[in-house]
Amino acid sequence: MSAHIRAQPVAIPSSEIKYCSSSSSASSLSFSPSAAAEAFARGPHYQPRRRGSMAYPVTAAEEGDTLTGASPPTRNRTLSLLFDTPAASMFSGLRAPTLFSRFGGSNSALPQGADVPPPVPDGKPLPAAPPPPRTGIPTPSPSPTSPMGAPPTSSIPAPSGYSQSPARSLRPPLTSVGSATTPSRSVSQRNIAAITSPQQTTATPTRTNSSATINGTSSSAGGDACHVTVRMRPLTDTEESSNLPTVWDISDEYNRVGLSVDFAERNRKQAAEYFFDAVQVGSDNRDLYEQSAKDVVRAAMEGINGTVFAYGQTASGKTYSMMGIDEQPGVIPQAVDDIFGYIREQSGDREYLLRVSYMEIYNETIRDLLSPEQVDLRIHEDRKRGVFVAPLKEEIVTSPKQVMRIIRKGEENRHFGATDYNEHSSRSHTIFQLVVESRERGQSGTASPRVGGSGSVRGRGMVMISQLNLIDLAGSEKATTDQDRRKEGAFINKSLLTLGTVISNSHIPYRDSKLTRILQASLSGNAKISVICTISPAGPNAEETQNTLKFASRVKKVTVNAQANRIVDEKALLQKYKQEIDELRQQLSTTNELLERERRQQQIAGMEGERKKYEEQLVEGQIARTALKERIDHLTNLILTSKTITSKHLLDWSAPPDPLTSRASVMLEDGLLPASPNLNGKRTPNSGLSKQFSDKGFLDRHIREIDARDEKIRNSNQEIQNLKALLMQLKSSRDGEVLSAIEQYEKTNGQSVKSMRTVVSELDNARRQNDELEVVCGEMEDRIREFEARVRELEAGGKKNSMVHREDVDDLIDENRALKSTVKGLRIELDQRRSQVSCAGGGEDAQQQQQQKQLSQTISSQRMQIESLTNEIRQSQKTITTLRDSIRMLELSNDMFVQSASRAHSPTNTNTSGGSGYNGSAANHAADTELALDRERKLRSEEGRASVERIAALEAELACVRAELGVFGLVGAFGAMGNGTSS
Ligand SMILES: Nc1ncnc2c1ncn2[C@@H]1O[C@H](COP(=O)(O)OP(=O)(O)OP(=O)(O)O)[C@@H](O)[C@H]1O
């Protein structure tokens, strides 16, 4: 169990307090109560730096940022000493002066570790420090009557709401410094209210009515110190089984955390020690909530913004502290329960409207955990709303169970992952936001505000709006082996670094990280801040722990100036709902009057038709009235008062955890679904009407219509959600698509360029081959012409010697056949080429088309040449036929000539002719004829020989042509010529 320092108010003469900072004038006098607490807690070991009413010992953490006199801090020195890790580097440029510097001390004045009590073996916690000095600061006397052991003895009264809460245990401030001014930076100058508006009237509360203290660490009237709790978890099973010692000593009596002297000596480290507002060892989350968060939560119910965040090394227990486990609910579930408990404790004169949202920042991208399809949410800022995330789903909540269901649903969407140090490590920062709107009951929103004067922060007729941020930060990262984890770690470290800088620096780089930008309103001073710094007890983590403690020390010195936000503005949902309820009630009473009139008229109506008309009007009126009542019920149920919350609404920590209900039922309970105002099962919608008018089909039809319409609305809402999700998906995938389209285009383009080149080279080849073919065709034409000439010659010669002519003609026929088949082969070849070229040139490109056109022109000219060749062949055939006819005629005349010659030569002819003279002359004539024939025969055989020689020469020429064709690669086409086949 932790114990807390309690002190009676101490009056310190302001003239004795000297404080100089870089931002405040040297004349400003200030004093931090936490400094007093530390001095008080240090006991007799402390070494005063300078004579004065307060003495302050230096701690290791504060070395390096000392401010002396009126000089600003030496920034470089701070950096060189503290920037050893990301966590440590958060303290760069710290502007809040150290406590030590306030008293003009110097580091060298105190021996290192001078205050460290003697070490205890085995890293066991040190025994309690010696009692504090009694000089000037009396020791508080614990009282058994208070839950915290002491009644509130603060000279600063708690906010009005606190006194009404029996469960509240406000501990007294350690000191009260009367008129002392704020010691550290004056954040009020750069306050940016979380919710501002032109109509906003924010009361400037005095310490007595709006600035609630946090567990006794309240500072001066100018601002509250951030509250810092250090929580050390127990050794984990793995650490225990490795026999790792606990190297930090925690003294809850003095809220002191110190490195065990034994460990420090063995590892040659400084025996550093730190003092905080509260320290805690162990697993008790209830105690943690009471110490660190309760006051911030309660202040949020009073209209003051609040932020609680857990900070620490990975696996040090942040999630355990914020979310907890079933047996030990953490800060968030306890805060939720406490908020409803608070409302329940009120006297009933106040009404509240609560709405929650849950988001995470993962790798610097904001995701809505309640609407996971909403990714990469944007941060906006406007004059009315300040800094806000949109589109962020906000749910109006009416019970802690409902909130827990929402949180569990959100948790399912959160980014976790196993790291080298934590099996279930949060890889993102999560921000659970709860907006509290409240106002006094029965007040019109436009009533003039009554600000201050009454001692109450609750102005009449005004809506107070506050925002409570409960944040589970991702762990500060060591280098890790996993690549993804390294990337996440880089983002985490950067945002934590910015958080550290924002917290402790005059230059406020809120925009450097999403985390600080979202929390800008809170971090700029208009929120109570409580930081739970979680540490590990184990030796190997000592350095990281020390960095966390240094961060905690810096945060402790920052003061904020949180004030209640009160607005009279239409953006307050509570205001809007109340107005709507008023208007609806007005409408309802008008409808009731109308109904009453209808009813009377129906009763007095004589005619059947008239009665029916009134009856129908009556039913319609009833439906309208029911709709109005349902809407009023729905809105009324969303507005919480002490009467609407019963103990059964609060969380039963001993009961097993609620199973997650479906989204629809959560929405139904939220009353977010239209026309379903029956939130608490008081009444089934339309049930009264159904009973009353069950005999009227008219009414049933209307009910069905209304149900169908509701169903339609639900469906279209769902559709809208789906479309939105789709749109987001499309948006996110658009960049990828564009890139891949470009890639695809480049690929396709490359391919088409390649295929173009192939086509062009094929076309070149085809053109070359066509040229060659043209040459061949020309040669063939020449040959044909030669053959024709020869046929003509033979024709002329054939008249002389039919036999020889016949052979020549046969040869010519053969040759013609061969020529024909050659031409046919050529045609086939050309056709093939043409189809090849048309395939190759099938591209869409203009150049390809051009080439194709040229090719087809070439082909058509070749075809024409072939056709003319064919014509010539046909002509040759005709000539050959004519030649053949003339040969036949020649043969005929030859035969006749031979017959007549033999008849003239026969002896019969001699006898028959009688007379010797006649016979002698006939014999002479026959001899002459025979001689002539012999001569003729000789002549013809010579001519025949000449023809045979000519034919041989022709054959030799043909062989040459064949060889040439072979050279052109057209053997296939002209093979027919060689074989003598023909078509
Ligand atoms: N106070 C505690 N008592 C008992 N167990 C604890 C305590 N704190 C942490 N643990 C256990 O230690 C482990 C790590 O804790 P937790 O996940 O909360 O660390 P964390 O700081 O949130 O880590 P990370 O930054 O990686 O998410 C868990 O198994 C948790 O249950």
Side-chain angles (χ1 to χ4, degrees):
M1 278 297 290
S2 62
H4 308 283
I5 299 163
R6 291 163 207 97
Q8 295 298 330
V10 181
I12 296 172
S14 60
S15 59
E16 287 190 35
I17 303 167
K18 288 197 169 52
Y19 161 66
C20 299
S21 83
S22 57
S23 64
S24 54
S25 71
S27 61
S28 66
L29 303 175
S30 68
F31 171 78
S32 161
S34 50
E38 285 174 24
F40 174 77
R42 294 301 299 257
H45 296 286
Y46 88 95
Q47 297 269 336
R49 303 297 166 86
R50 185 182 276 193
R51 287 194 177 278
S53 61
M54 284 298 295
Y56 176 68
V58 71
T59 66
E62 286 159 352
E63 285 182 7
D65 61 346
T66 310
L67 302 176
T68 52
S71 314
T74 315
R75 199 179 179 93
N76 289 345
R77 188 163 169 241
T78 310
L79 291 172
S80 66
L81 284 166
L82 297 175
F83 270 41
D84 49 347
T85 68
S89 61
M90 288 168 196
F91 315 130
S92 64
L94 176 78
R95 206 163 71 77
T98 61
L99 297 176
F100 169 60
S101 69
R102 290 167 204 155
F103 300 95
S106 111
N107 292 344
S108 57
L110 182 74
Q112 292 302 328
D115 297 333
V116 178
V120 172
D122 300 332
K124 295 278 183 317
L126 291 171
R134 306 210 165 256
T135 50
I137 307 172
T139 312
S141 52
S143 159
T145 55
S146 161
M148 298 310 299
T153 53
S154 170
S155 63
I156 303 167
S160 59
Y162 290 7
S163 57
Q164 294 160 356
S165 161
R168 189 163 192 286
S169 57
L170 241 190
R171 279 172 289 160
L174 290 169
T175 57
S176 170
V177 291
S179 61
T181 53
T182 313
S184 54
R185 73 180 183 198
S186 171
V187 287
S188 58
Q189 286 163 5
R190 54 190 174 88
N191 273 3
I192 300 171
I195 300 149
T196 54
S197 76
Q199 301 101 309
Q200 178 172 336
T201 50
T202 302
T204 307
T206 62
R207 294 282 303 152
T208 53
N209 63 8
S210 72
S211 298
T213 55
I214 307 174
N215 284 343
T217 59
S218 161
S219 64
S220 62
D224 292 332
C226 288
H227 185 270
V228 180
T229 308
V230 168
R231 176 190 224 186
M232 186 165 82
R233 67 161 165 78
L235 287 168
T236 61
D237 290 347
T238 331
E239 287 166 344
E240 259 180 3
S241 59
S242 311
N243 283 330
L244 294 179
T246 296
V247 300
W248 293 92
D249 298 327
I250 305 273
S251 158
D252 57 5
E253 194 173 354
Y254 303 114
N255 293 331
R256 172 187 171 277
V257 182
L259 188 63
S260 111
V261 178
D262 187 31
F263 180 81
E265 273 172 5
R266 265 193 281 116
N267 291 280
R268 295 164 168 272
K269 285 186 180 295
Q270 287 178 353
E273 61 176 355
Y274 306 84
F275 295 87
F276 299 102
D277 301 304
V279 293
Q280 209 235 21
V281 188
S283 309
D284 188 350
N285 275 343
R286 269 164 234 273
D287 195 28
L288 179 78
Y289 178 73
E290 291 288 329
Q291 286 184 51
S292 62
K294 185 164 185 164
D295 287 335
V296 178
V297 172
R298 294 269 165 152
M301 300 308 289
E302 296 282 333
I304 299 168
N305 295 334
T307 295
V308 179
F309 62 85
Y311 177 96
Q313 174 193 3
T314 185
S316 57
K318 295 180 294 297
T319 307
Y320 181 90
S321 303
M322 293 309 288
M323 204 50 76
I325 53 175
D326 288 343
E327 311 81 60
Q328 283 292 339
V331 166
I332 293 177
Q334 288 191 73
V336 168
D337 202 38
D338 200 21
I339 284 165
F340 286 92
Y342 176 91
I343 297 173
R344 191 167 166 247
E345 287 159 12
Q346 302 306 296
S347 58
D349 63 347
R350 226 171 155 74
E351 52 197 15
Y352 297 83
L353 190 110
L354 306 176
R355 44 198 160 101
V356 297
S357 59
Y358 199 20
M359 67 186 117
E360 78 167 355
I361 306 169
Y362 176 71
N363 285 357
E364 279 303 274
T365 309
I366 307 168
R367 287 177 71 238
D368 189 345
L369 291 175
L370 303 186
S371 180
E373 60 280 357
Q374 299 278 20
V375 285
D376 204 5
L377 274 67
R378 300 275 161 217
I379 301 172
H380 306 267
E381 183 170 13
D382 67 29
R383 259 181 355 114
K384 272 198 163 187
R385 293 180 64 184
V387 179
F388 61 97
V389 173
L392 183 67
K393 190 181 178 98
E394 273 194 331
E395 300 210 355
I396 297 172
V397 290
T398 53
S399 77
K401 282 178 190 161
Q402 182 195 349
V403 183
M404 289 316 296
R405 272 200 296 279
I406 291 171
I407 290 174
R408 281 201 199 116
K409 198 109 187 82
E411 284 290 296
E412 281 182 0
N413 300 319
R414 209 181 145 176
H415 275 93
F416 288 104
T419 63
D420 295 354
Y421 314 97
N422 190 354
E423 266 298 298
H424 195 67
S425 176
S426 319
R427 309 310 301 155
S428 59
H429 309 302
T430 54
I431 304 175
F432 176 72
Q433 276 183 345
L434 191 137
V435 176
V436 185
E437 292 182 17
S438 72
R439 57 175 241 165
E440 253 175 55
R441 293 191 78 189
Q443 292 299 316
S444 136
T446 49
S448 58
R450 199 184 69 192
V451 179
S454 67
S456 165
V457 291
R458 306 160 166 201
R460 277 179 172 272
M462 304 191 83
V463 174
M464 288 202 307
I465 299 190
S466 55
Q467 191 181 52
L468 178 66
N469 297 309
L470 302 174
I471 302 166
D472 182 6
L473 294 175
S476 55
E477 286 286 324
K478 283 185 191 169
T480 176
T481 45
D482 187 284
Q483 180 136 21
D484 283 351
R485 296 287 98 92
R486 251 207 313 274
K487 187 181 162 205
E488 289 166 354
F491 282 114
I492 293 168
N493 282 342
K494 191 189 170 227
S495 57
L496 292 177
L497 183 75
T498 312
L499 176 67
T501 314
V502 163
I503 279 182
S504 54
N505 206 339
S506 59
H507 161 65
I508 315 290
Y510 292 115
R511 285 171 192 270
D512 282 6
S513 82
K514 298 259 166 75
L515 176 70
T516 47
R517 184 85 174 108
I518 293 171
L519 298 177
Q520 185 168 339
S522 301
L523 297 174
S524 59
N526 190 28
K528 283 188 164 299
I529 298 179
S530 174
V531 183
I532 300 166
C533 288
T534 53
I535 59 171
S536 150
N541 297 328
E543 203 168 318
E544 282 285 336
T545 301
Q546 193 147 4
N547 290 329
T548 304
L549 293 172
K550 284 176 183 174
F551 175 82
S553 302
R554 294 301 185 270
V555 174
K556 198 164 68 103
K557 288 168 199 134
V558 175
T559 58
V560 290
N561 194 13
Q563 299 178 1
N565 302 302
R566 274 175 271 169
I567 60 166
V568 181
D569 190 297
E570 75 284 351
K571 82 182 156 50
L573 220 51
L574 188 60
Q575 186 90 347
K576 266 201 266 185
Y577 285 175
K578 285 303 284 185
Q579 258 168 18
E580 194 180 337
I581 290 172
D582 286 349
E583 283 165 18
L584 289 171
R585 285 211 173 110
Q586 191 68 40
Q587 281 181 34
L588 188 65
S589 78
T590 316
T591 313
N592 281 341
E593 277 170 24
L594 280 171
L595 271 175
E596 196 47 44
R597 208 178 309 152
E598 299 286 341
R599 202 168 282 131
R600 275 202 302 273
Q601 291 203 332
Q602 187 200 16
Q603 279 164 4
I604 57 170
M607 304 280 290
E608 175 64 22
E610 230 182 14
R611 237 202 335 265
K612 200 159 183 197
K613 192 184 96 192
Y614 285 126
E615 203 175 275
E616 281 178 5
Q617 281 175 355
L618 201 61
V619 170
E620 274 175 31
Q622 287 280 8
I623 290 168
R625 194 178 70 164
T626 309
L628 284 172
K629 281 183 86 177
E630 283 176 356
R631 180 73 186 153
I632 290 168
D633 283 352
H634 168 65
L635 293 176
T636 313
N637 281 333
L638 295 180
I639 296 168
L640 306 171
T641 64
S642 61
K643 295 200 175 66
T644 59
I645 297 172
T646 59
S647 59
K648 85 175 167 57
H649 286 106
L650 301 181
L651 295 177
D652 179 5
W653 301 120
S654 55
D658 241 8
L660 265 180
T661 53
S662 71
R663 183 94 208 100
S665 67
V666 169
M667 284 182 75
L668 202 72
E669 194 177 330
D670 287 351
L672 295 181
L673 294 181
S676 55
N678 179 35
L679 297 175
N680 292 330
K682 286 177 190 158
R683 190 165 56 82
T684 313
N686 300 327
S687 60
L689 267 181
S690 301
K691 219 175 267 175
Q692 198 174 347
F693 297 100
S694 56
D695 55 335
K696 288 183 169 55
F698 173 78
L699 181 59
D700 287 338
R701 202 175 62 245
H702 272 269
I703 289 168
R704 274 199 300 279
E705 270 171 19
I706 288 168
D707 287 345
R709 196 194 55 206
D710 290 346
E711 181 65 28
K712 258 188 205 163
I713 292 168
R714 261 196 297 275
N715 289 344
S716 17
N717 277 345
Q718 187 58 47
E719 214 167 299
I720 289 164
Q721 287 298 325
N722 293 345
L723 283 174
K724 273 185 184 167
L726 197 68
L727 190 69
M728 293 307 292
Q729 270 177 3
L730 281 175
K731 268 184 188 166
S732 67
S733 67
R734 191 187 50 195
D735 288 351
E737 273 174 16
V738 167
L739 276 177
S740 71
I742 289 169
E743 246 171 51
Q744 189 60 32
Y745 176 75
E746 279 173 358
K747 220 194 269 174
T748 323
N749 228 18
Q751 272 173 0
S752 57
V753 165
K754 218 164 138 191
S755 69
M756 254 310 288
R757 280 200 192 116
T758 322
V759 168
V760 167
S761 78
E762 276 171 6
L763 284 171
D764 283 343
N765 279 343
R767 207 176 289 133
R768 238 186 343 266
Q769 287 178 0
N770 282 342
D771 290 345
E772 288 165 3
L773 265 178
E774 243 176 77
V775 173
V776 172
C777 282
E779 284 171 356
M780 295 301 292
E781 270 176 30
D782 290 344
R783 296 267 170 275
I784 287 168
R785 270 195 292 276
E786 275 175 26
F787 283 135
E788 275 178 353
R790 226 161 268 150
V791 165
R792 273 195 297 276
E793 273 174 28
L794 285 172
E795 197 179 356
K799 282 171 189 168
K800 292 175 189 169
N801 191 337
S802 65
M803 297 298 285
V804 177
H805 276 258
R806 199 176 184 167
E807 283 167 12
D808 282 348
V809 166
D810 284 345
D811 285 345
L812 274 172
I813 287 167
D814 284 348
E815 278 185 43
N816 255 333
R817 273 186 194 141
L819 264 177
K820 223 173 169 184
S821 89
T822 307
V823 170
K824 195 184 169 195
L826 269 173
R827 189 183 279 162
I828 290 165
E829 180 82 3
L830 274 173
D831 281 348
Q832 279 173 353
R833 271 166 198 287
R834 197 182 52 186
S835 70
Q836 276 171 7
V837 170
S838 79
C839 282
E844 317 72 28
D845 198 87
Q847 200 185 344
Q848 283 176 319
Q849 283 176 1
Q850 180 69 18
Q851 284 166 350
Q852 207 175 341
K853 206 170 160 190
Q854 283 172 359
L855 198 65
S856 54
Q857 277 171 359
T858 317
I859 288 166
S860 70
S861 78
Q862 282 177 355
R863 189 183 278 166
M864 274 161 66
Q865 285 172 6
I866 289 164
E867 268 168 19
S868 77
L869 270 176
T870 317
N871 283 339
E872 281 169 7
I873 288 167
R874 254 185 232 124
Q875 206 60 44
S876 300
Q877 273 178 334
K878 264 186 198 163
T879 316
I880 286 163
T881 317
T882 324
L883 214 59
R884 207 179 266 158
D885 288 343
S886 65
I887 285 167
R888 216 174 287 129
M889 291 295 291
L890 268 173
E891 279 175 349
L892 210 66
S893 68
N894 253 0
D895 286 346
M896 281 167 65
F897 180 72
V898 171
Q899 276 172 17
S900 67
S902 59
R903 236 188 345 272
H905 201 62
S906 101
T908 327
N909 273 351
T910 312
N911 293 334
T912 316
S913 61
S916 60
Y918 175 78
N919 280 345
S921 67
N924 288 339
H925 180 71
D928 288 343
T929 307
E930 232 169 292
L931 280 171
L933 269 173
D934 278 343
R935 273 201 304 274
E936 187 74 22
R937 249 180 230 127
K938 269 181 202 154
L939 192 73
R940 293 211 174 194
S941 67
E942 275 168 14
E943 277 180 358
R945 262 199 306 279
S947 285
V948 167
E949 278 168 11
R950 271 202 306 275
I951 285 163
L954 271 172
E955 271 176 354
E957 267 180 57
L958 263 173
C960 282
V961 169
R962 253 184 244 133
E964 278 169 10
L965 289 173
V967 169
F968 288 122
L970 300 170
V971 179
F974 296 95
M977 195 170 130
N979 298 334
T981 51
S982 69
S983 60

